[in-house]
Amino acid sequence: MTPEERNKELNLAYQLIKDMQHDNFEYSYRGLFTQNITTKILSLAESKLIKSEDTKKIRKRIYFILVESLQNITRHQNKDENNKPVDSGIFILQKKQNKYYITTGNLINTKNIDDLTTQLEKVNSLDPDALKEFYNEMMVSGEISDKGGAGLGLIAMGRKSGNKLTYKFNKIDNNKAYFYLRTEIPLIKDLVDNNEFDYSLEDTIELHNMLNKNNILLNFNGAFNQENFVNLLSMIGGQMTGEINLREKVLFVMVEMLENLVYYSKKYATDTNAELEGSPGIFFLRYKNKEYHMTTGNYIINEEVELLQGKINKVNLLNQEELFNLYKETLLLFKTDIPKKPDLTIIEMRLKSENKLLFDFNKVDEKISFFTIQTIIK
């Protein structure tokens, strides 16, 4: 990897999180969608909603639409002969201007575009009373689509949101297209829309294009803490295929990277008095030239930069035998004088990946910086 390519990869994490925070992305996920993964996403979102100041009634509406949105992806996405998803999709939860925005995107066969458009336009043409009546008629008649009830799901989303469904189809070729669907849920009844956020769907599509262009297999952005750390590991494990030893190696390094992210994120939130359930962070997995590139990024206070930089530089200078000896030494002495020793997570990342750790610090202001670290496993 050339220095230019290295800097570009490391800067990608900072660019992504800035873009996501600009559009108030509470959570974003790009990857495969299976039943297990959608369950984990719902768990993460539910945890976030419970800790919000929104009313219980609003939270229930949002959660209902989350369920329908994720089911919409699993119904429409392309699958192989074993009924397993073959293409990555995207899910984003946003909160801005007294509204929640739930956006999904997934590949579909172009032959389904006309049917979906008809369903969506029908839903958008009806007022709340007519929509309720149409839903009941569909329930009684059983006239649902061949995608296992997708029509009912769209009607339910329209009813619960109280808004029209925004959608777009981006054709990839004659057979495939991305289907993007956005639902708006106002937090205030009879909220007057000032149309300042009309382009959020286009922003999502632009983000998705960036992830696709950089061949990112899986991306997760949100507030990291121990609770969602466990769910995220399970989601990542669901993406991995191939040789068992390689998968175990990748997952082991991921654990150490996410532990490192959670530790420094928590310290950042504590030291800056940030009112966050874990600070904003990002993780993405990339496959390039027969290598797995794993990257995490999070904010840290500037006082931490020099010490952390020294720890990483130290482990990068050592060979495998020297690393193992340092690891044993650190285990024995870990309870004393911790700041002067390399963190165990940093040693383990370097030891298990068998490659030097790539890292960078982007100074945000006089108080904080954005720390990016990357491991590569061949």
Side-chain angles (χ1 to χ4, degrees):
M1 183 187 298
T2 66
E4 291 77 13
E5 290 174 327
R6 169 191 177 278
N7 290 334
K8 185 178 179 180
E9 280 210 7
L10 291 174
N11 286 328
L12 180 60
Y14 187 42
Q15 184 61 50
L16 283 171
I17 203 165
K18 283 196 299 182
D19 290 347
M20 291 169 177
Q21 286 182 297
H22 177 265
D23 286 312
N24 289 59
F25 288 4
E26 301 277 336
Y27 283 109
S28 70
Y29 166 80
R30 191 259 186 182
L32 296 176
F33 282 81
T34 63
Q35 190 60 49
N36 178 58
I37 288 173
T38 55
T39 299
K40 300 300 180 185
I41 293 174
L42 285 171
S43 179
L44 289 169
E46 184 178 27
S47 175
K48 177 70 178 179
L49 291 172
I50 289 173
K51 292 167 184 171
S52 72
E53 297 179 356
D54 304 316
T55 66
K56 185 176 181 181
K57 185 176 180 180
I58 287 290
R59 294 201 305 264
K60 286 179 68 176
R61 283 175 61 202
I62 295 168
Y63 188 79
F64 177 90
I65 295 171
L66 283 170
V67 172
E68 291 296 335
S69 298
L70 291 168
Q71 287 182 349
N72 186 65
I73 289 182
T74 57
R75 286 168 182 153
H76 286 115
Q77 66 184 344
N78 291 322
K79 299 176 182 179
D80 62 17
E81 61 274 9
N82 297 315
N83 204 37
K84 293 183 178 180
V86 294
D87 300 301
S88 292
I90 192 167
F91 161 83
I92 291 174
L93 175 65
Q94 295 164 277
K95 185 180 182 181
K96 193 168 186 177
Q97 297 179 355
N98 293 311
K99 282 185 181 181
Y100 272 97
Y101 296 80
I102 299 169
T103 307
T104 58
N106 57 279
L107 273 177
I108 62 168
N109 195 303
T110 53
K111 68 180 181 182
N112 296 322
I113 291 179
D114 289 344
D115 181 51
L116 270 171
T117 301
T118 300
Q119 292 181 44
L120 287 159
E121 287 302 314
K122 176 72 173 179
V123 170
N124 285 342
S125 68
L126 302 175
D127 62 34
D129 291 335
L131 201 55
K132 180 179 179 180
E133 184 178 344
F134 182 47
Y135 182 82
N136 291 333
E137 288 176 3
M138 292 280 282
M139 288 287 288
V140 173
S141 67
E143 292 180 4
I144 55 180
S145 75
D146 60 359
K147 283 287 185 179
L152 281 173
L154 295 175
I155 299 170
M157 289 164 66
R159 288 186 61 200
K160 284 291 184 179
S161 70
N163 278 300
K164 296 184 186 302
L165 302 177
T166 305
Y167 66 93
K168 187 171 183 177
F169 299 98
N170 276 5
K171 284 191 175 183
I172 307 300
D173 53 38
N174 290 333
N175 298 315
K176 289 183 178 181
Y178 275 111
F179 167 42
Y180 295 99
L181 179 65
R182 189 188 72 186
T183 310
E184 300 178 14
I185 309 103
L187 303 181
I188 302 172
K189 190 175 181 181
D190 300 324
L191 178 69
V192 176
D193 196 343
N194 56 18
N195 294 318
E196 290 182 10
F197 206 44
D198 278 352
Y199 298 104
S200 63
L201 184 58
E202 294 300 327
D203 293 342
T204 298
I205 294 172
E206 184 178 338
L207 168 67
H208 195 200
N209 288 337
M210 184 188 298
L211 296 174
N212 289 336
K213 180 181 178 181
N214 286 280
N215 196 28
I216 293 175
L217 302 181
L218 178 145
N219 168 77
F220 178 81
N221 166 76
F224 284 78
N225 52 38
Q226 287 294 340
E227 185 178 0
N228 62 30
F229 169 76
V230 175
N231 281 323
L232 182 57
L233 279 177
S234 178
M235 290 162 62
I236 295 167
Q239 307 290 313
M240 299 297 298
T241 59
E243 183 185 344
I244 293 177
N245 289 338
L246 176 61
R247 289 164 56 191
E248 289 180 349
K249 187 175 183 178
V250 170
L251 286 172
F252 180 91
V253 175
M254 285 181 185
V255 169
E256 300 307 321
M257 294 186 73
L258 292 172
E259 286 280 11
N260 189 69
L261 186 155
V262 170
Y263 170 76
Y264 281 102
S265 292
K266 184 178 180 181
K267 186 169 178 56
Y268 155 79
T270 302
D271 291 348
T272 59
N273 297 316
E275 296 179 1
L276 297 164
E277 295 292 338
S279 81
I282 189 169
F283 168 87
F284 58 86
L285 172 66
R286 188 179 185 193
Y287 189 71
K288 181 181 179 182
N289 299 329
K290 298 184 179 180
E291 297 175 342
Y292 281 108
H293 294 202
M294 291 169 285
T295 305
T296 59
N298 58 273
Y299 293 100
I300 65 171
I301 57 173
N302 288 335
E303 285 80 356
E304 298 280 348
V305 171
E306 186 177 352
L307 181 63
L308 185 54
Q309 187 173 6
K311 291 177 179 180
I312 301 173
N313 282 333
K314 180 174 181 177
V315 299
N316 276 343
L317 291 172
L318 304 178
N319 60 35
Q320 289 298 103
E321 183 179 353
E322 291 169 333
L323 276 169
F324 188 65
N325 289 334
L326 177 63
Y327 177 71
K328 291 190 294 182
E329 175 189 330
T330 307
L331 277 177
L332 291 173
L333 303 175
F334 197 67
K335 292 185 178 180
T336 61
D337 208 16
I338 296 175
K340 294 183 180 178
K341 301 180 184 65
D343 296 338
L344 280 173
T345 55
I346 292 173
I347 301 173
E348 289 173 331
M349 277 188 265
R350 171 75 174 86
L351 189 64
K352 197 68 177 178
S353 68
E354 301 179 36
N355 281 295
K356 290 185 178 182
L357 304 175
L358 306 178
F359 66 98
D360 196 13
F361 296 94
N362 290 92
K363 189 173 181 179
V364 178
D365 55 35
E366 294 304 313
K367 194 170 186 179
I368 62 173
S369 291
F370 190 78
F371 166 52
T372 307
I373 189 166
Q374 182 183 86
T375 59
I376 298 174
I377 296 179
K378 297 182 180 179

